Amino acid sequence: MKPSINSKLAIIGVAIDLGAGTPGVSLGPAAIRFAGVTERLSNIGYQVEDMGDIVAIKPVSPHTDGTNLKNLDEVARVNNLLCEKVSTAMSANLFPLVLGGDHSIAIGTIAGVLQHKSNLGVIWFDAHGDINTDETSPSGNIHGMPVAVSLGLGHDRLTSIGGTDKKLNTKNIVFIGCRDLDAGERKILKELGITVFTMHEIDRLGMTEVMTRAIEIASNGTDGIHVSFDLDSMDPVFVQGTGTRVPGGLTYRESHLALEMIAQTEKVVSAEFVEVNPIIDHKNETAKTAVALIGSLMGEWLI
Ligand SMILES: NC(=[NH2+])NCCC[C@H](N)C(=O)O
Ligand SMILES: [Mn+2]
Ligand SMILES: [Mn+2]
């Protein structure tokens, strides 16, 4: 089997749970490595360089600057480091595969990729919208905000990461699998005209049609596609080990089919798999699922 994309790959772990409400996703990178991610990718012909983990340190007091943003200082510090690390990997012509950690790390990953790809398309798999700002967030958890930040919306400690001029374009972002959007998020999504394929559209149109449309949106006028995969996009029966489970999600095969179709485009420049929480999991199954999904995105199934 031949890798479908850049054959040199960097694994970057981010051991952080400070952006999430439930502790434990900081152990995600270890769980995914334990489930054999490096071997799996080596077996399909990738040259894998493990760049190790960025480790978050729990602050004494969670609040900063009088905002409702939980752990803002540390989430910002970690994402600045991640932005640099992703950018360094891409400068060395390595495909950055980022392992979470909570979804706040998409802030650093995307900021890093934007240093190299100024017209980046994004396919975002999630039960949630992750497009809250400090003003709309019901929780203050930063993992519910990375899409907004990557568009330049929200607190400047976050939007400044990687440079305020390097942001995503709303017309090239597409969501897959949403089924739990906050009122404020619906408003933002509507105002910005962002395409969302909720579970309703997936049920109606089928995953093949949804992905055909999604790939078109993320490809149109872009210089690459970033895949951000929150394990909670899948149905809870497949992912016990994730903190914000919502019933009625993607099936195992729907998820794989989607990633396989993206792999076939050969336009993927970076990816992240987030919200794997081994503490609440059963026998590391969620990390194993993540590794299998990574295999599909990286072209394992291609003959
Ligand atoms: N990456 C995630 N799992 N995000 C869940 C976000 C939940 C909710 N919308 C919030 O803002 O708090
Ligand atoms: Mn989610
Ligand atoms: Mn998410």
Side-chain angles (χ1 to χ4, degrees):
M1 268 174 274
K2 222 171 131 264
S4 62
I5 39 184
N6 191 348
S7 62
K8 283 199 222 155
L9 190 148
I11 290 180
I12 302 171
V14 194
I16 185 170
D17 61 5
L18 300 172
T22 312
V25 271
S26 49
L27 299 168
I32 298 170
R33 284 201 187 82
F34 193 72
V37 68
T38 305
E39 298 76 4
R40 189 99 174 212
L41 291 166
S42 304
N43 284 344
I44 51 172
Y46 287 95
Q47 226 176 294
V48 183
E49 185 179 320
D50 194 330
M51 293 176 76
D53 285 357
I54 296 169
V55 182
I57 301 157
K58 198 174 163 55
V60 182
S61 152
H63 288 289
T64 321
D65 288 358
T67 70
N68 69 339
L69 297 169
K70 291 189 190 135
N71 307 306
L72 175 60
D73 280 333
E74 187 61 4
V75 171
R77 185 187 73 87
V78 163
N79 276 292
N80 272 300
L81 289 176
L82 177 58
C83 169
E84 274 173 36
K85 213 162 180 172
V86 166
S87 180
T88 303
M90 289 184 79
S91 298
N93 202 28
L94 298 167
F95 176 100
L97 174 64
V98 179
L99 308 177
D102 70 67
H103 219 161
S104 71
I105 65 169
I107 296 170
T109 306
I110 291 172
V113 179
L114 283 170
Q115 308 301 312
H116 300 264
K117 305 280 173 189
S118 44
N119 293 305
L120 186 66
V122 173
I123 305 182
W124 191 282
F125 292 86
D126 214 309
H128 309 95
D130 290 355
I131 195 161
N132 275 304
T133 66
D134 44 335
E135 276 149 35
T136 65
S137 172
S139 63
N141 294 328
I142 299 176
H143 76 160
M145 311 180 190
V147 180
V149 172
S150 303
L151 287 166
L153 305 171
H155 199 284
D156 59 7
R157 290 282 305 282
L158 299 171
T159 55
S160 61
I161 295 168
T164 41
D165 54 328
K166 297 195 172 68
K167 295 292 162 210
L168 297 174
N169 194 332
T170 50
K171 71 176 202 307
N172 299 120
I173 305 173
V174 54
F175 284 92
I176 312 283
C178 299
R179 54 197 183 278
D180 183 9
L181 298 169
D182 299 322
E185 292 186 304
R186 288 171 194 269
K187 195 161 167 271
I188 295 172
L189 286 164
K190 212 169 184 177
E191 274 170 16
L192 298 178
I194 294 176
T195 308
V196 181
F197 292 108
T198 67
M199 288 312 300
H200 175 85
E201 278 79 40
I202 294 165
D203 289 342
R204 266 190 187 250
L205 301 168
M207 193 50 114
T208 307
E209 178 60 24
V210 164
M211 287 316 296
T212 302
R213 296 188 195 179
I215 287 165
E216 171 58 26
I217 291 164
S219 305
N220 199 351
T222 63
D223 49 10
I225 297 177
H226 171 69
V227 176
S228 197
F229 197 101
D230 184 331
L231 269 290
D232 72 27
S233 59
M234 292 181 80
D235 194 276
V237 300
F238 307 106
V239 286
Q240 214 180 312
T242 193
T244 43
R245 293 185 296 270
V246 189
L250 303 177
T251 67
Y252 195 84
R253 273 309 307 163
E254 278 172 339
S255 313
H256 280 274
L257 172 63
L259 295 173
E260 289 159 3
M261 287 182 72
I262 299 172
Q264 267 183 320
T265 67
E266 299 193 15
K267 287 178 181 164
V268 186
V269 293
S270 51
E272 66 202 333
F273 288 78
V274 303
E275 302 283 351
V276 171
N277 189 339
I279 296 278
I280 53 174
D281 204 8
H282 179 70
K283 297 197 180 217
N284 212 26
E285 292 298 345
T286 304
K288 288 180 201 158
T289 299
V291 171
L293 292 167
I294 290 168
S296 283
L297 179 66
M298 304 313 283
E300 185 181 59
W301 50 283
L302 295 167
I303 296 167

Short mmCIF file of all heavy atoms in Angstrom, two decimals, residues 36-84:
data_model
loop_
_atom_site.label_atom_id
_atom_site.label_comp_id
_atom_site.label_asym_id
_atom_site.label_seq_id
_atom_site.Cartn_x
_atom_site.Cartn_y
_atom_site.Cartn_z
N GLY A 36 -0.96 2.06 19.17
CA GLY A 36 -0.12 1.66 18.03
C GLY A 36 -0.12 2.57 16.82
O GLY A 36 0.07 2.10 15.69
N VAL A 37 -0.29 3.86 17.03
CA VAL A 37 -0.38 4.77 15.87
C VAL A 37 0.89 4.75 15.00
O VAL A 37 0.79 4.71 13.77
CB VAL A 37 -0.76 6.21 16.32
CG1 VAL A 37 0.33 6.89 17.12
CG2 VAL A 37 -1.14 7.07 15.13
N THR A 38 2.05 4.74 15.63
CA THR A 38 3.30 4.81 14.86
C THR A 38 3.48 3.56 13.99
O THR A 38 3.77 3.65 12.79
CB THR A 38 4.51 4.98 15.80
OG1 THR A 38 4.28 6.13 16.60
CG2 THR A 38 5.81 5.15 15.04
N GLU A 39 3.26 2.39 14.60
CA GLU A 39 3.39 1.12 13.86
C GLU A 39 2.42 1.09 12.69
O GLU A 39 2.76 0.70 11.57
CB GLU A 39 3.09 -0.07 14.79
CG GLU A 39 4.04 -0.22 15.99
CD GLU A 39 3.79 0.79 17.12
OE1 GLU A 39 2.83 1.59 17.03
OE2 GLU A 39 4.57 0.79 18.08
N ARG A 40 1.20 1.52 12.95
CA ARG A 40 0.16 1.49 11.92
C ARG A 40 0.56 2.31 10.71
O ARG A 40 0.39 1.91 9.57
CB ARG A 40 -1.13 2.06 12.53
CG ARG A 40 -2.34 1.92 11.69
CD ARG A 40 -3.14 0.73 12.14
NE ARG A 40 -4.39 0.66 11.43
CZ ARG A 40 -5.50 0.17 11.96
NH1 ARG A 40 -5.50 -0.29 13.19
NH2 ARG A 40 -6.60 0.09 11.25
N LEU A 41 1.14 3.48 10.98
CA LEU A 41 1.53 4.38 9.88
C LEU A 41 2.81 3.89 9.21
O LEU A 41 2.94 3.99 7.99
CB LEU A 41 1.68 5.81 10.41
CG LEU A 41 0.36 6.46 10.82
CD1 LEU A 41 0.61 7.72 11.64
CD2 LEU A 41 -0.50 6.78 9.60
N SER A 42 3.72 3.35 9.98
CA SER A 42 4.96 2.80 9.39
C SER A 42 4.61 1.64 8.46
O SER A 42 5.18 1.51 7.38
CB SER A 42 5.90 2.27 10.48
OG SER A 42 6.18 3.30 11.39
N ASN A 43 3.65 0.83 8.89
CA ASN A 43 3.25 -0.33 8.09
C ASN A 43 2.70 0.04 6.72
O ASN A 43 2.73 -0.78 5.81
CB ASN A 43 2.18 -1.16 8.83
CG ASN A 43 2.80 -1.99 9.93
OD1 ASN A 43 4.03 -2.17 9.95
ND2 ASN A 43 1.99 -2.48 10.85
N ILE A 44 2.16 1.24 6.59
CA ILE A 44 1.64 1.63 5.27
C ILE A 44 2.63 2.53 4.54
O ILE A 44 2.29 3.17 3.55
CB ILE A 44 0.22 2.25 5.33
CG1 ILE A 44 0.13 3.38 6.36
CG2 ILE A 44 -0.79 1.18 5.64
CD1 ILE A 44 -1.19 4.14 6.30
N GLY A 45 3.85 2.57 5.04
CA GLY A 45 4.91 3.21 4.26
C GLY A 45 5.28 4.63 4.66
O GLY A 45 6.06 5.27 3.96
N TYR A 46 4.76 5.11 5.77
CA TYR A 46 5.16 6.46 6.20
C TYR A 46 6.45 6.42 7.00
O TYR A 46 6.70 5.47 7.74
CB TYR A 46 4.07 7.11 7.06
CG TYR A 46 2.88 7.54 6.27
CD1 TYR A 46 1.77 6.70 6.15
CD2 TYR A 46 2.85 8.75 5.60
CE1 TYR A 46 0.67 7.07 5.39
CE2 TYR A 46 1.76 9.13 4.84
CZ TYR A 46 0.67 8.29 4.74
OH TYR A 46 -0.41 8.65 3.99
N GLN A 47 7.23 7.48 6.84
CA GLN A 47 8.40 7.68 7.67
C GLN A 47 7.91 8.54 8.83
O GLN A 47 7.57 9.72 8.62
CB GLN A 47 9.40 8.47 6.85
CG GLN A 47 10.81 7.97 6.89
CD GLN A 47 11.65 8.80 5.96
OE1 GLN A 47 11.44 8.76 4.73
NE2 GLN A 47 12.54 9.59 6.51
N VAL A 48 7.81 7.98 10.01
CA VAL A 48 7.18 8.70 11.13
C VAL A 48 8.23 9.26 12.08
O VAL A 48 9.10 8.55 12.57
CB VAL A 48 6.23 7.77 11.92
CG1 VAL A 48 5.53 8.54 13.03
CG2 VAL A 48 5.21 7.13 11.00
N GLU A 49 8.11 10.56 12.33
CA GLU A 49 8.97 11.18 13.33
C GLU A 49 8.09 11.63 14.49
O GLU A 49 7.20 12.47 14.31
CB GLU A 49 9.69 12.39 12.72
CG GLU A 49 10.69 13.00 13.67
CD GLU A 49 11.43 14.18 13.06
OE1 GLU A 49 11.78 14.10 11.86
OE2 GLU A 49 11.63 15.17 13.77
N ASP A 50 8.31 11.05 15.68
CA ASP A 50 7.51 11.44 16.83
C ASP A 50 8.17 12.65 17.50
O ASP A 50 9.26 12.54 18.06
CB ASP A 50 7.37 10.28 17.82
CG ASP A 50 6.27 10.54 18.84
OD1 ASP A 50 6.03 11.72 19.17
OD2 ASP A 50 5.65 9.57 19.30
N MET A 51 7.49 13.80 17.42
CA MET A 51 8.05 15.02 17.99
C MET A 51 7.71 15.19 19.47
O MET A 51 7.96 16.25 20.06
CB MET A 51 7.59 16.25 17.19
CG MET A 51 8.17 16.29 15.77
SD MET A 51 7.53 17.67 14.78
CE MET A 51 8.43 19.07 15.44
N GLY A 52 7.12 14.16 20.08
CA GLY A 52 6.84 14.22 21.52
C GLY A 52 5.61 15.05 21.85
O GLY A 52 4.86 15.44 20.97
N ASP A 53 5.44 15.33 23.13
CA ASP A 53 4.24 16.03 23.59
C ASP A 53 4.53 17.45 24.08
O ASP A 53 5.58 17.71 24.66
CB ASP A 53 3.63 15.29 24.80
CG ASP A 53 2.91 14.02 24.39
OD1 ASP A 53 2.82 13.74 23.19
OD2 ASP A 53 2.45 13.31 25.31
N ILE A 54 3.56 18.31 23.87
CA ILE A 54 3.53 19.59 24.57
C ILE A 54 2.65 19.33 25.80
O ILE A 54 1.56 18.77 25.66
CB ILE A 54 2.91 20.70 23.68
CG1 ILE A 54 3.79 20.93 22.45
CG2 ILE A 54 2.72 21.99 24.49
CD1 ILE A 54 3.14 21.81 21.40
N VAL A 55 3.14 19.68 26.97
CA VAL A 55 2.42 19.33 28.20
C VAL A 55 1.88 20.57 28.90
O VAL A 55 2.63 21.51 29.20
CB VAL A 55 3.35 18.53 29.15
CG1 VAL A 55 2.60 18.12 30.42
CG2 VAL A 55 3.90 17.30 28.45
N ALA A 56 0.60 20.57 29.17
CA ALA A 56 -0.02 21.68 29.88
C ALA A 56 0.14 21.50 31.39
O ALA A 56 0.16 20.39 31.89
CB ALA A 56 -1.51 21.74 29.53
N ILE A 57 0.26 22.61 32.08
CA ILE A 57 0.37 22.57 33.54
C ILE A 57 -0.86 23.25 34.14
O ILE A 57 -1.20 24.38 33.77
CB ILE A 57 1.66 23.30 34.00
CG1 ILE A 57 2.89 22.63 33.36
CG2 ILE A 57 1.78 23.32 35.52
CD1 ILE A 57 4.09 23.53 33.27
N LYS A 58 -1.50 22.55 35.04
CA LYS A 58 -2.73 23.07 35.63
C LYS A 58 -2.46 24.30 36.49
O LYS A 58 -1.65 24.24 37.42
CB LYS A 58 -3.38 21.98 36.48
CG LYS A 58 -4.85 22.22 36.78
CD LYS A 58 -5.44 21.02 37.49
CE LYS A 58 -6.74 21.33 38.19
NZ LYS A 58 -7.77 21.90 37.33
N PRO A 59 -3.11 25.41 36.18
CA PRO A 59 -2.87 26.61 36.99
C PRO A 59 -3.58 26.54 38.34
O PRO A 59 -4.53 25.78 38.50
CB PRO A 59 -3.45 27.72 36.13
CG PRO A 59 -4.44 27.08 35.25
CD PRO A 59 -4.08 25.63 35.12
N VAL A 60 -3.12 27.35 39.28
CA VAL A 60 -3.73 27.37 40.61
C VAL A 60 -5.15 27.93 40.52
O VAL A 60 -6.09 27.37 41.06
CB VAL A 60 -2.87 28.23 41.57
CG1 VAL A 60 -3.47 28.22 42.97
CG2 VAL A 60 -1.43 27.74 41.59
N SER A 61 -5.27 29.04 39.79
CA SER A 61 -6.61 29.61 39.64
C SER A 61 -7.01 29.56 38.16
O SER A 61 -6.23 29.98 37.30
CB SER A 61 -6.59 31.06 40.14
OG SER A 61 -7.57 31.81 39.47
N PRO A 62 -8.18 29.04 37.83
CA PRO A 62 -8.54 28.85 36.42
C PRO A 62 -8.88 30.13 35.65
O PRO A 62 -8.85 30.12 34.43
CB PRO A 62 -9.76 27.93 36.49
CG PRO A 62 -10.35 28.14 37.85
CD PRO A 62 -9.19 28.51 38.75
N HIS A 63 -9.19 31.20 36.37
CA HIS A 63 -9.66 32.38 35.63
C HIS A 63 -8.59 33.46 35.41
O HIS A 63 -7.69 33.64 36.20
CB HIS A 63 -10.89 32.98 36.30
CG HIS A 63 -12.09 32.10 36.09
ND1 HIS A 63 -12.71 31.97 34.88
CD2 HIS A 63 -12.73 31.28 36.94
CE1 HIS A 63 -13.70 31.10 34.99
NE2 HIS A 63 -13.73 30.66 36.23
N THR A 64 -8.71 34.13 34.29
CA THR A 64 -7.71 35.10 33.87
C THR A 64 -8.38 36.37 33.39
O THR A 64 -9.44 36.31 32.75
CB THR A 64 -6.92 34.55 32.65
OG1 THR A 64 -6.70 33.17 32.84
CG2 THR A 64 -5.61 35.27 32.47
N ASP A 65 -7.73 37.49 33.63
CA ASP A 65 -8.14 38.76 33.01
C ASP A 65 -9.61 39.12 33.24
O ASP A 65 -10.21 39.81 32.42
CB ASP A 65 -7.94 38.69 31.48
CG ASP A 65 -6.47 38.72 31.10
OD1 ASP A 65 -5.63 38.83 32.01
OD2 ASP A 65 -6.17 38.65 29.90
N GLY A 66 -10.20 38.59 34.27
CA GLY A 66 -11.61 38.89 34.52
C GLY A 66 -12.57 38.34 33.46
O GLY A 66 -13.71 38.77 33.36
N THR A 67 -12.12 37.38 32.66
CA THR A 67 -13.01 36.79 31.65
C THR A 67 -13.63 35.51 32.22
O THR A 67 -13.24 35.04 33.28
CB THR A 67 -12.24 36.39 30.38
OG1 THR A 67 -11.40 35.27 30.70
CG2 THR A 67 -11.39 37.52 29.85
N ASN A 68 -14.58 34.94 31.46
CA ASN A 68 -15.15 33.65 31.87
C ASN A 68 -14.38 32.49 31.25
O ASN A 68 -14.78 31.34 31.35
CB ASN A 68 -16.63 33.58 31.46
CG ASN A 68 -16.79 33.50 29.95
OD1 ASN A 68 -15.89 33.87 29.19
ND2 ASN A 68 -17.94 33.02 29.49
N LEU A 69 -13.27 32.80 30.56
CA LEU A 69 -12.51 31.78 29.86
C LEU A 69 -11.69 30.96 30.85
O LEU A 69 -10.81 31.50 31.52
CB LEU A 69 -11.58 32.43 28.84
CG LEU A 69 -12.28 33.19 27.72
CD1 LEU A 69 -11.29 34.02 26.94
CD2 LEU A 69 -12.99 32.22 26.81
N LYS A 70 -11.95 29.68 30.92
CA LYS A 70 -11.24 28.84 31.89
C LYS A 70 -9.83 28.53 31.41
O LYS A 70 -9.63 28.10 30.28
CB LYS A 70 -12.01 27.54 32.12
CG LYS A 70 -13.32 27.76 32.86
CD LYS A 70 -13.95 26.44 33.27
CE LYS A 70 -15.37 26.71 33.79
NZ LYS A 70 -16.33 25.73 33.26
N ASN A 71 -8.87 28.77 32.29
CA ASN A 71 -7.46 28.45 32.02
C ASN A 71 -6.88 29.18 30.80
O ASN A 71 -6.05 28.63 30.09
CB ASN A 71 -7.27 26.94 31.85
CG ASN A 71 -7.85 26.15 33.01
OD1 ASN A 71 -7.52 26.40 34.17
ND2 ASN A 71 -8.72 25.21 32.72
N LEU A 72 -7.33 30.39 30.57
CA LEU A 72 -6.90 31.14 29.38
C LEU A 72 -5.38 31.22 29.22
O LEU A 72 -4.85 30.97 28.14
CB LEU A 72 -7.52 32.55 29.40
CG LEU A 72 -7.07 33.50 28.29
CD1 LEU A 72 -7.41 32.94 26.91
CD2 LEU A 72 -7.71 34.88 28.47
N ASP A 73 -4.67 31.55 30.32
CA ASP A 73 -3.20 31.70 30.23
C ASP A 73 -2.53 30.45 29.69
O ASP A 73 -1.73 30.51 28.77
CB ASP A 73 -2.60 31.96 31.63
CG ASP A 73 -2.76 33.41 32.04
OD1 ASP A 73 -2.83 34.27 31.15
OD2 ASP A 73 -2.82 33.68 33.27
N GLU A 74 -2.87 29.33 30.30
CA GLU A 74 -2.19 28.08 29.95
C GLU A 74 -2.64 27.57 28.57
O GLU A 74 -1.82 27.08 27.79
CB GLU A 74 -2.43 27.03 31.04
CG GLU A 74 -1.64 25.75 30.88
CD GLU A 74 -0.11 25.90 30.89
OE1 GLU A 74 0.39 27.03 31.10
OE2 GLU A 74 0.57 24.88 30.68
N VAL A 75 -3.91 27.71 28.26
CA VAL A 75 -4.40 27.29 26.93
C VAL A 75 -3.71 28.13 25.85
O VAL A 75 -3.27 27.60 24.82
CB VAL A 75 -5.95 27.40 26.83
CG1 VAL A 75 -6.42 27.18 25.40
CG2 VAL A 75 -6.61 26.40 27.77
N ALA A 76 -3.52 29.41 26.12
CA ALA A 76 -2.84 30.29 25.15
C ALA A 76 -1.37 29.90 25.03
O ALA A 76 -0.83 29.81 23.92
CB ALA A 76 -2.99 31.75 25.57
N ARG A 77 -0.71 29.63 26.17
CA ARG A 77 0.71 29.25 26.13
C ARG A 77 0.91 27.98 25.30
O ARG A 77 1.77 27.92 24.41
CB ARG A 77 1.25 29.04 27.55
CG ARG A 77 2.76 28.76 27.61
CD ARG A 77 3.24 28.39 29.01
NE ARG A 77 2.84 27.05 29.42
CZ ARG A 77 3.52 25.93 29.15
NH1 ARG A 77 4.65 25.98 28.47
NH2 ARG A 77 3.08 24.75 29.57
N VAL A 78 0.11 26.97 25.60
CA VAL A 78 0.24 25.68 24.90
C VAL A 78 -0.03 25.85 23.40
O VAL A 78 0.69 25.30 22.56
CB VAL A 78 -0.73 24.65 25.53
CG1 VAL A 78 -0.95 23.45 24.62
CG2 VAL A 78 -0.20 24.21 26.89
N ASN A 79 -1.02 26.63 23.05
CA ASN A 79 -1.34 26.79 21.63
C ASN A 79 -0.30 27.61 20.87
O ASN A 79 -0.07 27.37 19.69
CB ASN A 79 -2.75 27.36 21.46
CG ASN A 79 -3.79 26.26 21.53
OD1 ASN A 79 -3.85 25.41 20.64
ND2 ASN A 79 -4.57 26.23 22.60
N ASN A 80 0.35 28.54 21.56
CA ASN A 80 1.47 29.24 20.92
C ASN A 80 2.60 28.27 20.60
O ASN A 80 3.17 28.30 19.51
CB ASN A 80 1.98 30.38 21.81
CG ASN A 80 1.23 31.67 21.56
OD1 ASN A 80 1.23 32.19 20.44
ND2 ASN A 80 0.55 32.19 22.58
N LEU A 81 2.90 27.38 21.56
CA LEU A 81 3.95 26.37 21.34
C LEU A 81 3.56 25.43 20.22
O LEU A 81 4.38 25.06 19.37
CB LEU A 81 4.19 25.56 22.62
CG LEU A 81 4.88 26.26 23.78
CD1 LEU A 81 4.94 25.34 25.00
CD2 LEU A 81 6.29 26.69 23.38
N LEU A 82 2.29 25.02 20.21
CA LEU A 82 1.82 24.10 19.18
C LEU A 82 1.90 24.72 17.79
O LEU A 82 2.32 24.07 16.83
CB LEU A 82 0.38 23.65 19.50
CG LEU A 82 -0.28 22.73 18.49
CD1 LEU A 82 0.53 21.45 18.27
CD2 LEU A 82 -1.71 22.38 18.93
N CYS A 83 1.51 25.98 17.70
CA CYS A 83 1.59 26.70 16.43
C CYS A 83 3.02 26.63 15.89
O CYS A 83 3.25 26.30 14.72
CB CYS A 83 1.13 28.14 16.65
SG CYS A 83 1.46 29.24 15.26
N GLU A 84 3.99 26.88 16.75
CA GLU A 84 5.40 26.84 16.33
C GLU A 84 5.83 25.44 15.90
O GLU A 84 6.51 25.28 14.89
CB GLU A 84 6.31 27.24 17.51
CG GLU A 84 6.52 28.73 17.64
CD GLU A 84 7.28 29.06 18.91
OE1 GLU A 84 8.18 28.29 19.30
OE2 GLU A 84 6.92 30.06 19.55
#
